[in-house]
Amino acid sequence: GAIQLFVQSARRADPGFALEAETLRDVVHICRLVEGMPLGLELAAAWARMMPLAEIEQEIRHNLDFLSTQMRDMPARHRNLRALFEQSWQFLTEKERQVIVQLSVFQGGFERDAAQEVADATPFSLAALVDKSMLRAHSSGRYDMHELLRQFAAEKLEKTPNATQEARDGHCAYYASFLQAR
Protein backbone atom coordinates (compact mmCIF):
# COMPACT_ATOMS: atom_id res chain seq x y z
CA GLY A 1 0.00 0.00 0.00
CA ALA A 2 2.80 2.44 0.84
CA ILE A 3 4.53 1.74 -2.47
CA GLN A 4 1.28 2.26 -4.37
CA LEU A 5 0.63 5.58 -2.60
CA PHE A 6 4.18 6.73 -3.31
CA VAL A 7 3.88 5.85 -7.01
CA GLN A 8 0.48 7.56 -7.33
CA SER A 9 1.83 10.68 -5.64
CA ALA A 10 5.01 10.66 -7.73
CA ARG A 11 2.91 10.44 -10.90
CA ARG A 12 0.92 13.51 -9.82
CA ALA A 13 4.23 15.38 -9.52
CA ASP A 14 5.75 13.83 -12.64
CA PRO A 15 3.32 12.12 -15.04
CA GLY A 16 6.27 10.27 -16.59
CA PHE A 17 7.29 8.62 -13.32
CA ALA A 18 7.49 4.85 -13.65
CA LEU A 19 8.34 2.28 -11.03
CA GLU A 20 11.11 0.17 -12.47
CA ALA A 21 13.30 -2.60 -11.12
CA GLU A 22 16.20 -0.20 -10.50
CA THR A 23 14.01 2.35 -8.64
CA LEU A 24 11.99 -0.13 -6.58
CA ARG A 25 14.76 -0.47 -3.96
CA ASP A 26 14.85 3.30 -3.40
CA VAL A 27 11.06 3.49 -3.18
CA VAL A 28 11.04 0.69 -0.59
CA HIS A 29 13.72 2.51 1.45
CA ILE A 30 11.73 5.76 1.34
CA CYS A 31 8.56 3.92 2.41
CA ARG A 32 10.44 2.37 5.31
CA LEU A 33 11.99 5.68 6.36
CA VAL A 34 8.59 7.35 6.65
CA GLU A 35 7.17 4.06 7.97
CA GLY A 36 4.26 4.19 5.55
CA MET A 37 3.02 7.54 6.89
CA PRO A 38 0.76 8.84 4.10
CA LEU A 39 1.76 12.48 4.52
CA GLY A 40 5.44 11.54 4.52
CA LEU A 41 4.97 9.44 1.38
CA GLU A 42 3.16 12.22 -0.46
CA LEU A 43 5.72 14.85 0.53
CA ALA A 44 8.62 12.59 -0.48
CA ALA A 45 6.99 11.63 -3.78
CA ALA A 46 6.53 15.28 -4.72
CA TRP A 47 10.34 15.54 -4.99
CA ALA A 48 10.48 12.75 -7.61
CA ARG A 49 10.10 15.29 -10.41
CA MET A 50 13.25 17.13 -9.31
CA MET A 51 15.76 14.63 -7.99
CA PRO A 52 16.71 10.97 -8.07
CA LEU A 53 15.01 8.73 -5.53
CA ALA A 54 18.33 7.85 -3.87
CA GLU A 55 18.88 11.56 -3.14
CA ILE A 56 15.36 11.88 -1.73
CA GLU A 57 16.12 8.97 0.60
CA GLN A 58 19.36 10.61 1.80
CA GLU A 59 17.66 13.96 2.40
CA ILE A 60 14.93 12.31 4.49
CA ARG A 61 17.57 10.53 6.61
CA HIS A 62 19.36 13.77 7.44
CA ASN A 63 16.78 16.54 7.33
CA LEU A 64 13.30 16.37 8.82
CA ASP A 65 12.44 19.69 7.13
CA PHE A 66 13.04 18.18 3.70
CA LEU A 67 9.58 16.62 3.79
CA SER A 68 7.62 19.76 3.04
CA THR A 69 5.72 21.47 0.28
CA GLN A 70 5.02 25.04 -0.73
CA MET A 71 1.55 24.19 -2.05
CA ARG A 72 -0.93 26.66 -0.58
CA ASP A 73 -3.99 24.50 -1.20
CA MET A 74 -2.98 22.23 1.68
CA PRO A 75 -3.72 23.01 5.34
CA ALA A 76 -0.65 24.42 7.09
CA ARG A 77 -0.36 21.34 9.32
CA HIS A 78 -0.03 19.15 6.19
CA ARG A 79 2.62 21.20 4.42
CA ASN A 80 5.44 19.52 6.33
CA LEU A 81 6.03 16.88 8.96
CA ARG A 82 7.49 19.36 11.42
CA ALA A 83 4.17 21.25 11.50
CA LEU A 84 2.34 17.98 12.09
CA PHE A 85 4.70 17.04 14.92
CA GLU A 86 4.49 20.55 16.42
CA GLN A 87 0.70 20.31 16.45
CA SER A 88 0.89 16.98 18.29
CA TRP A 89 3.50 18.47 20.65
CA GLN A 90 0.98 21.09 21.77
CA PHE A 91 -1.30 18.35 23.10
CA LEU A 92 1.34 16.92 25.44
CA THR A 93 1.66 17.81 29.10
CA GLU A 94 4.99 19.21 30.27
CA LYS A 95 5.85 15.84 31.87
CA GLU A 96 5.02 13.99 28.63
CA ARG A 97 7.24 16.41 26.70
CA GLN A 98 10.12 15.80 29.09
CA VAL A 99 9.71 12.04 28.79
CA ILE A 100 9.43 11.94 24.99
CA VAL A 101 12.50 14.10 24.42
CA GLN A 102 14.58 11.99 26.80
CA LEU A 103 13.34 8.81 25.12
CA SER A 104 14.70 10.15 21.83
CA VAL A 105 18.15 8.88 22.88
CA PHE A 106 16.90 5.34 22.19
CA GLN A 107 17.27 4.21 18.60
CA GLY A 108 15.41 1.05 17.73
CA GLY A 109 13.12 0.94 20.74
CA PHE A 110 13.35 0.27 24.45
CA GLU A 111 11.75 -1.56 27.34
CA ARG A 112 9.77 0.00 30.18
CA ASP A 113 12.54 -0.35 32.75
CA ALA A 114 15.00 1.43 30.42
CA ALA A 115 12.47 4.23 29.88
CA GLN A 116 11.95 4.52 33.62
CA GLU A 117 15.66 4.78 34.38
CA VAL A 118 16.65 7.07 31.49
CA ALA A 119 13.57 9.30 31.19
CA ASP A 120 11.83 8.86 34.55
CA ALA A 121 8.90 7.45 32.59
CA THR A 122 6.09 5.88 34.55
CA PRO A 123 3.68 3.28 33.18
CA PHE A 124 1.09 6.10 33.13
CA SER A 125 3.27 8.48 31.11
CA LEU A 126 4.14 5.72 28.65
CA ALA A 127 0.46 4.81 28.28
CA ALA A 128 -0.42 8.48 27.70
CA LEU A 129 2.25 8.76 25.00
CA VAL A 130 0.95 5.59 23.34
CA ASP A 131 -2.60 6.96 23.48
CA LYS A 132 -1.40 10.18 21.83
CA SER A 133 0.40 8.18 19.10
CA MET A 134 3.83 9.43 20.17
CA LEU A 135 4.99 5.93 21.08
CA ARG A 136 4.05 2.45 19.92
CA ALA A 137 3.72 -0.40 22.40
CA HIS A 138 4.45 -3.93 21.22
CA SER A 139 3.13 -7.16 22.70
CA SER A 140 6.74 -8.09 23.52
CA GLY A 141 6.78 -5.30 26.12
CA ARG A 142 8.98 -3.03 24.02
CA TYR A 143 8.18 0.47 22.90
CA ASP A 144 9.37 2.41 19.93
CA MET A 145 8.91 5.77 18.27
CA HIS A 146 8.53 6.64 14.60
CA GLU A 147 12.06 7.51 13.43
CA LEU A 148 11.10 10.93 12.09
CA LEU A 149 9.28 11.74 15.33
CA ARG A 150 12.38 10.57 17.21
CA GLN A 151 14.47 13.02 15.18
CA PHE A 152 12.00 15.80 16.04
CA ALA A 153 12.14 14.94 19.76
CA ALA A 154 15.96 14.71 19.63
CA GLU A 155 16.07 18.24 18.20
CA LYS A 156 13.92 19.41 21.11
CA LEU A 157 16.29 17.65 23.53
CA GLU A 158 19.35 19.29 21.93
CA LYS A 159 17.93 22.72 22.79
CA THR A 160 18.62 21.95 26.46
CA PRO A 161 22.29 20.91 26.70
CA ASN A 162 22.12 19.77 30.34
CA ALA A 163 19.08 17.61 29.64
CA THR A 164 20.80 16.17 26.58
CA GLN A 165 23.85 15.14 28.59
CA GLU A 166 21.70 13.72 31.41
CA ALA A 167 19.65 11.63 28.97
CA ARG A 168 22.76 10.32 27.24
CA ASP A 169 24.47 9.59 30.55
CA GLY A 170 21.35 7.78 31.78
CA HIS A 171 21.23 5.78 28.56
CA CYS A 172 24.90 4.80 28.89
CA ALA A 173 24.54 3.94 32.58
CA TYR A 174 21.48 1.79 31.95
CA TYR A 175 23.15 -0.23 29.21
CA ALA A 176 26.45 -0.49 31.04
CA SER A 177 24.57 -1.97 33.98
CA PHE A 178 22.60 -4.22 31.61
CA LEU A 179 25.82 -5.52 30.04
CA GLN A 180 27.47 -5.99 33.39
CA ALA A 181 24.52 -8.10 34.57
CA ARG A 182 24.90 -10.30 31.47
Side-chain angles (χ1 to χ4, degrees):
I3 293 171
Q4 288 176 328
L5 178 58
F6 182 90
V7 170
Q8 288 171 349
S9 300
R11 285 186 181 143
R12 276 195 305 272
D14 176 10
F17 180 84
L19 185 62
E20 298 168 354
E22 58 271 3
T23 59
L24 179 60
R25 184 184 68 78
D26 294 326
V27 171
V28 168
H29 287 180
I30 291 168
C31 291
R32 285 184 179 151
L33 277 172
V34 301
E35 295 183 25
M37 183 187 298
L39 179 59
L41 291 168
E42 290 188 25
L43 293 171
W47 287 100
R49 74 182 194 281
M50 292 179 270
M51 64 176 53
L53 297 176
E55 287 181 29
I56 295 170
E57 177 190 349
Q58 288 305 309
E59 287 291 336
I60 294 169
R61 284 188 192 282
H62 303 297
N63 182 5
L64 177 62
D65 292 317
F66 177 74
L67 291 174
S68 65
T69 184
Q70 300 300 317
M71 293 173 41
R72 299 291 173 213
D73 62 341
M74 294 180 79
R77 68 183 183 279
H78 291 163
R79 289 186 194 148
N80 63 59
L81 284 182
R82 182 175 301 283
L84 181 67
F85 293 155
E86 285 289 352
Q87 183 181 20
S88 297
W89 182 260
Q90 299 307 314
F91 292 107
L92 300 179
T93 65
E94 189 57 37
K95 174 62 176 169
E96 291 165 346
R97 289 176 186 173
Q98 290 172 356
V99 169
I100 199 76
V101 298
Q102 291 173 329
L103 291 176
S104 72
V105 298
F106 291 99
Q107 294 185 13
F110 52 88
E111 293 183 358
R112 185 169 51 96
D113 57 338
Q116 184 174 358
E117 188 161 325
V118 172
D120 197 27
T122 66
F124 299 107
S125 62
L126 292 172
L129 290 167
V130 168
D131 290 344
K132 293 178 181 179
S133 300
M134 301 300 273
L135 292 178
R136 293 178 291 224
H138 300 279
S139 60
S140 65
R142 290 185 59 81
Y143 295 85
D144 73 358
M145 188 182 320
H146 190 289
E147 175 56 24
L148 298 176
L149 177 59
R150 192 198 66 73
Q151 288 177 22
F152 172 81
E155 288 176 8
K156 295 279 190 189
L157 180 63
E158 292 293 328
K159 291 179 180 177
T160 312
N162 290 341
T164 303
Q165 194 58 48
E166 286 177 27
R168 288 180 179 158
D169 289 349
H171 183 267
C172 288
Y174 175 80
Y175 284 104
S177 175
F178 176 82
L179 290 171
Q180 185 178 23
R182 297 280 184 251

